C-alpha cells in the first residue's frame, strides 16, 4: 500500500542502527569506506575503496528493493581479486561464517537452506568458521544488509529476524557478500527497464543510478534475485521500474537464485 511504501522508505532512511556497523562507508562513500579499514597491503586497501555497504529492506520491502550507495556495479570491479573469496587448491571457494545465537533453529534451517543452493549449483562453500581471519558474521540486526565482496576480517551480514530470514533474502544478501550488486543498475539496463524518476523521492534516486558495470557477458536478468521490484522506493504507489517493452514481466523476485545468478557466480569464481 501507499502507506507501507512511504513508511518503509522513512524507516530505512532514518535507520541509524542498521547503518551503524559500516556507517563510514554508508554515509561518506567509497573513500571513507576504504580509509575506514586497516590493511597492511596497499593493493588490498585500493580494492576496498570499491567496497560498499548495501542496506536492503526489511518487512514489507523485502520484495520491493534495497538501499544502495551511488556507485554500483553488477559485479564488483576488483582488479587484483582481493575483494573476492579465495579458491582452495581443490577448486572450491570457502566462505567461512558464524551464525549468531539470536537465531532460532528454524532460522538456522532457512539460512542453511539458502547456502545449500550455492553449494549444489556453484563452487562456493559456506563453511563454519574455525580460525579464518576473513569471515561472514550472520546476525539479526536492524534490516537486511551486507557489504559487497570480501572485506577482510569479520563482516556482518544482517538478516533481521523481523523480516529478513527467508530463503531468497538470505541468498540475496549472501550474493552481495560474494561480490554482486543489483541488476537494475547495469550499463545496458535502459534497453530492458524504464526508470520512472517522477515516482521516486529525490533523496532515493541514487538507488537507481546506472553504472558502468561488469556484466560477465551474461544477459540482463529480470528474474535475478538481485533485481529491484517494480515499486521499490515509490513515493506514490506507482511503478518506479517498468520492464520494456512488456511492462507485465515480473521483476524483483526473492524466491531463489535465478539460473543466470548461478551462472554469474560460476563465471566470477571460475568454478
Ligand atoms: Zn540488495
Amino acid at each position: 500500500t501507499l502507506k507501507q511504501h512511504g513508511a518503509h522508505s522513512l524507516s530505512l532512511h532514518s535507520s541509524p542502527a542498521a547503518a551503524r556497523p559500516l556507517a563510514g562507508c554508508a554515509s561518506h562513500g567509497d573513500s571513507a569506506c576504504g580509509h575506514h579499514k586497516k590493511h597492511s597491503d596497499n593493493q588490498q586497501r585500493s580494492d576496498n575503496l570499491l567496497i560498499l555497504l548495501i542496506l536492503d529492506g526489511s518487512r514489507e520491502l523485502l520484495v520491493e528493493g534495497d538501499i544502495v550507495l551511488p556507485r554500483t556495479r553488477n559485479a564488483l570491479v576488483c582488479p587484483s581479486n582481493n575483494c573476492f573469496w579465495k579458491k582452495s587448491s581443490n577448486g572450491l571457494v570457502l566462505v567461512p561464517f558464524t551464525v549468531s545465537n539470536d537465531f532460532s533453529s528454524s532460522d538456522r534451517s532457512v539460512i542453511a537452506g539458502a547456502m545449500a543452493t550455492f553449494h549444489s549449483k556453484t563452487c562456493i562453500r559456506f563453511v563454519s568458521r574455525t580460525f579464518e581471519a576473513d569471515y561472514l558474521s550472520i546476525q539479526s540486526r536492524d534490516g537486511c544488509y551486507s557489504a559487497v565482496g570480501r572485506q577482510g576480517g569479520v563482516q556482518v551480514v544482517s538478516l533481521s529476524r523481523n523480516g529478513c530470514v527467508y530463503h531468497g533474502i538470505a541468498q540475496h544478501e549472501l550474493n552481495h557478500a560474494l561480490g554482486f550488486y543489483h541488476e537494475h543498475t547495469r550499463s545496458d539496463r535502459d534497453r530492458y527497464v524504464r526508470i520512472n524518476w517522477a515516482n521516486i523521492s529525490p533523496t532515493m534516486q541514487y538507488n537507481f543510478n546506472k553504472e558502468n558495470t561488469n556484466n560477465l557477458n551474461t544477459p540482463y536478468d529480470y528474474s535475478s534475485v538481485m533485481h529491484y521490484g517494480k515499486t521499490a522506493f515509490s513515493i506514490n504507489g506507482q511503478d518506479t521500474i517498468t520492464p520494456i517493452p512488456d511492462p507485465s514481466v515480473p521483476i524483483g523476485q526473492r524466491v531463489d537464485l535465478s539460473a543466470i545468478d548461478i551462472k554469474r557466480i560460476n563465471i566470477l569464481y571460475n568454478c
Side-chain angles (χ1 to χ4, degrees), residues 54 56 66 172-173 176 182:
I54 301 269
D56 291 315
D66 319 297
H172 178 104
E173 301 306 333
H176 279 318
H182 294 128

Side-chain angles (χ1 to χ4, degrees), residues 34-181:
H35 293 307
H36 202 62
K37 316 288 296 175
K38 291 175 185 158
H39 294 286
S40 53
D41 110 29
N42 285 336
Q43 186 56 58
Q44 175 79 44
R45 180 180 303 128
S46 108
D47 282 342
N48 273 288
L49 294 177
L50 300 169
I51 294 177
L52 301 171
L53 174 69
I54 301 269
L55 174 60
D56 291 315
S58 60
R59 294 170 177 275
E60 69 274 13
L61 199 88
L62 289 178
V63 208
E64 302 284 327
D66 319 297
I67 286 186
V68 60
L69 293 169
R71 293 182 55 198
T72 60
R73 297 171 184 85
N74 193 247
L76 197 56
V77 173
C78 182
S80 68
N81 286 334
N82 273 337
C83 49
F84 300 123
W85 301 86
K86 304 299 183 188
K87 183 178 281 189
S88 304
S89 54
N90 63 6
L92 300 176
V93 176
L94 304 183
V95 183
F97 72 94
T98 60
V99 178
S100 163
N101 289 330
D102 292 340
F103 290 108
S104 69
S105 60
S106 74
D107 292 337
R108 290 164 185 270
S109 295
V110 169
I111 295 167
M115 292 175 170
T117 306
F118 291 87
H119 298 172
S120 63
K121 305 285 190 182
T122 77
C123 61
I124 303 294
R125 295 292 182 275
F126 295 98
V127 295
S128 293
R129 182 207 180 213
T130 51
F131 310 107
E132 295 89 349
D134 302 339
Y135 65 99
L136 307 179
S137 174
I138 302 174
Q139 303 179 20
S140 174
R141 294 199 184 180
D142 186 8
C144 332
Y145 60 85
S146 172
V148 177
R150 182 179 67 87
Q151 295 198 97
V154 57
Q155 64 189 82
V156 173
V157 172
S158 175
L159 295 174
S160 170
R161 296 194 67 204
N162 200 1
C164 304
V165 184
Y166 294 95
H167 186 79
I169 307 278
Q171 290 181 335
H172 178 104
E173 301 306 333
L174 291 170
N175 216 29
H176 279 318
L178 294 180
F180 290 94
Y181 282 95

